């Protein structure tokens, strides 16, 4: 079972920002090494939790010397924060398309599809994030109460505007975003349950295409919207 973040006091903890760069300026070898390290770290943190993970295990999974990991990330906590920042950026960047002038069905469907692609392509990162939240969100508490709250307030205001204009059915817009996150991340966090019930050893791309259509249809229907074209 994944373990929570421990060891640091509130005074020592730093805020993780979704727009924080996970690395220094890009370049061929640097970019490749960073991606290998972050990918390996996602897997190790998901399997062993923050407390059980070591930079030695991450380096081994990445196929790099431990010194290379410490060259890019001074401590395990720095690497963990970079993983969380990378996750949040991938999940939240697609919200940029939810604007007052957007078509509600198209914009929301696009966001849901992006979240489902993230679940399909990088399911392990959702497990890392879920573990962080379950264990108190010590590393991202500042982000949740500042940047994330501000972003959700902003996008909820967009949806409230659509509702006022009669472009979508009345919903509690903040809870609407909670529903999107809960449903899309369910297929990563509870993949063993999903596969067992569906009778699959592994979910294929075709499975995810079918699931995505159903998820988009279900969520949009709750807002009085029809399924748009892909």
């Amino acid at each position: 079972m994944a373990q929570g973040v421990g060891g640091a006091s509130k005074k020592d903890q730093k805020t993780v920002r979704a727009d924080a760069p996970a690395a220094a300026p890009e370049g061929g070898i640097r970019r490749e090494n960073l991606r290998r390290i972050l990918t390996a770290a996602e897997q190790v943190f998901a399997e062993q939790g923050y407390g059980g993970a070591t930079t030695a295990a991450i380096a081994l999974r990445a196929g790099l010397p431990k010194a290379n990991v410490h060259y890019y990330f001074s401590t395990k906590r720095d690497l963990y924060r970079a993983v969380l920042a990378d996750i949040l950026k991938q999940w939240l960047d697609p919200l940029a398309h939810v604007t007052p002038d957007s078509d509600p069905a198209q914009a929301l469907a696009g966001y849901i599809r992006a979240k489902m692609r993230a679940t399909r392509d990088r399911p392990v990162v959702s497990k890392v994030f879920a573990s962080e939240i379950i264990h108190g969100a010590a590393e991202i508490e500042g982000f949740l109460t500042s940047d994330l709250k501000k972003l959700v307030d902003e996008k909820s205001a967009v949806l409230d505007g659509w509702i006022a204009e009669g472009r979508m059915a009345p919903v509690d817009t903040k809870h609407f975003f909670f529903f999107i996150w809960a449903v899309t991340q369910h297929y990563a966090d509870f993949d063993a349950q999903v596969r067992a019930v569906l009778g699959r050893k592994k979910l294929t791309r075709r499975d995810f295409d079918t699931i995505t259509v159903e998820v988009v249809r279900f969520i949009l229907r709750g807002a009085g919207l029809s399924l748009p074209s892909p």
Side-chain angles (χ1 to χ4, degrees), residues 11-97:
K11 182 179 179 181
D12 296 325
Q13 292 162 1
K14 298 179 181 178
T15 299
V16 173
R17 297 177 59 87
D19 59 353
E26 294 184 350
I29 295 175
R30 174 184 293 273
R31 184 169 60 249
E32 174 61 21
N33 283 348
L34 283 166
R35 178 44 52 196
R36 287 170 65 179
I37 292 169
L38 287 172
T39 299
E42 292 168 2
Q43 296 166 343
V44 174
F45 284 133
E47 294 167 2
Q48 301 180 24
Y50 178 82
T54 65
T55 52
I58 292 168
L60 182 63
R61 184 71 65 92
L64 294 168
K66 182 179 175 181
N68 282 38
V69 175
H70 286 295
Y71 174 80
Y72 295 106
F73 303 97
S74 298
T75 66
K76 181 175 74 170
R77 176 160 275 108
D78 288 340
L79 178 51
Y80 183 64
R81 291 189 184 115
V83 168
L84 291 172
D86 197 43
I87 293 168
L88 290 164
K89 179 176 177 60
Q90 182 188 35
W91 284 354
L92 298 177
D93 277 3
L95 278 173
H97 299 290

Side-chain angles (χ1 to χ4, degrees), residues 5 13-18 80-81 84-85 88 128-130 132-133 136-148:
V5 177
Q13 292 162 1
K14 298 179 181 178
T15 299
V16 173
R17 297 177 59 87
Y80 183 64
R81 291 189 184 115
L84 291 172
L88 290 164
V128 176
F129 185 80
E132 168 69 11
I133 295 295
E139 294 298 326
I140 60 172
E141 181 180 9
F143 171 79
L144 297 179
T145 57
S146 57
D147 296 61
L148 182 62

